Amino acid sequence: MNAITANQVSARFDIQPAKEPLSSEERAKRMQNPGFGKVFSEHMIVIPYNEETGWGKGVLKPYGPIVLDPAASVLHYGQAIFEGFKAYKQPDGSIKTFRPEANAHRFNASARRLAMPELPVDLFVEAADLLITQEQAWVPDAVGESLYLRPLMIATEAALGVRASKEYLFILIASPSGAYFPQGVKPVTVWISENYVRAAPGGTGSAKCAGNYAASLVAQKEAKAEGCDQVVWLDAVHRRYIEEMGGMNIFFVYKENGETIVATPVLTGTLLPGVTRLTLLDLAKKLGFRAEERRISVDDWAEALRNGTMTEAFACGTAAVITPIGTVKSAHGEWKVNGGETGPVASKLREALLNLQHGVDPDPNGWMHKVC
Ligand SMILES: *Cc1c(COP(=O)(O)O)cnc(C)c1O
């Protein structure tokens, strides 16, 4: 594999690779059983921002700790956003990412909501291409495995006055990830949270910000205490409409008059607009299903399971792709979905998405972005 050469590099980055690269044996050892988000590649990218001078020169450098002033405003007032997308090995040995511009645009939407500066979309994609090219040996080969990219932005100005920071740091790290479910896809049990909400109208629900996750952890603990794997969020106003499952979007499959309907909650401003969600709405149509965005209440969910019109439910996101829901629990009852088993529609959609991302199937929409 080729190392980065100077002419591949734009003027926007300084390239300072590790002086003592990891041996291929050591890398292979770390990549053997990477799981998710536990192993990190050798390099990272940082780009500083200053209100006066804008985005500065980026640096590709060895992965490692960053230094922050204890008064850095991210540590106090939480201006922190992130993204997640993946690089996939293709059958011809090349490496492609999936819809990275969509993540770049969403990153900027999150930035606007948190009064942070936007990063030019082409700079976001270039940073990712640069890091992936440097780390191409860290991209696993097998279908279902990938190099997970985690871009983030934090407020770094040392100032305790409550206002938007004037200084920020964009950081990009990469983590080889194995199959999210090494034992195969296994349906999860979900807990419908009635004590906590994830997002309220006017809040930050549609931004991918760290604070949303901080606020969700206690509900996730409650779900665990109830014997469940994940929490299902209801809308904050009526406490009735299904919004998401944990950090993933949610889908329901109905059989109505002989037709298969793949439905997901409509985006109301409190849901995170997932790239996987958007992609599955399209793939569902291509597979011959009717794809719909609906408002779905807890009562609708229970009723459709009781009368048999709902045949499957599953969650989706970049990290775990598709996670079937086998059992639904709340303070008022417990329901099985598809007898607690993975259903055929979830399986078909999962396969279609993975085949597209790994270059097994054609890419008519031009969603795959060639990196190297
Ligand atoms: C990131 C995220 C998703 C999934 O988005 P993808 O773009 O499909 O990975 C869904 N819900 C929440 C709350 C998220 O943070």
Side-chain angles (χ1 to χ4, degrees), residues 228-248:
C228 300
D229 306 297
Q230 285 287 339
V231 52
V232 164
W233 302 107
L234 301 180
D235 79 285
V237 177
H238 309 93
R239 301 287 185 104
R240 269 177 59 201
Y241 297 104
I242 313 285
E243 298 211 318
E244 301 196 55
M245 183 197 89
M248 303 171 82

Side-chain angles (χ1 to χ4, degrees), residues 8 20 72 99-100 116 130 133 140 196 249 265 270 294 327 339 341:
Q8 281 174 277
E20 286 171 39
R99 309 186 80 172
M116 300 167 85
L130 187 62
T133 304
Y196 303 102
N249 292 116
T270 51
R294 293 181 174 181
T327 307
E341 300 298 322

Side-chain angles (χ1 to χ4, degrees), residues 281-301:
L281 283 170
D282 187 276
L283 288 179
K285 279 183 221 146
K286 292 208 173 92
L287 290 172
F289 307 129
R290 197 161 100 212
E292 277 187 8
E293 298 176 80
R294 293 181 174 181
R295 282 207 108 179
I296 298 152
S297 70
V298 186
D299 294 341
D300 296 340
W301 192 0

Side-chain angles (χ1 to χ4, degrees), residues 27-44:
R27 185 175 54 242
K29 210 167 100 197
R30 293 193 195 175
M31 286 177 74
Q32 203 153 48
N33 230 326
F36 179 79
K38 290 185 291 205
V39 176
F40 298 96
S41 72
E42 281 174 277
H43 298 89
M44 63 183 192

Side-chain angles (χ1 to χ4, degrees), residues 31 89 139-143 145 358:
M31 286 177 74
K89 190 62 81 57
V139 182
D141 290 319
V143 169
E145 300 181 353
H358 287 274

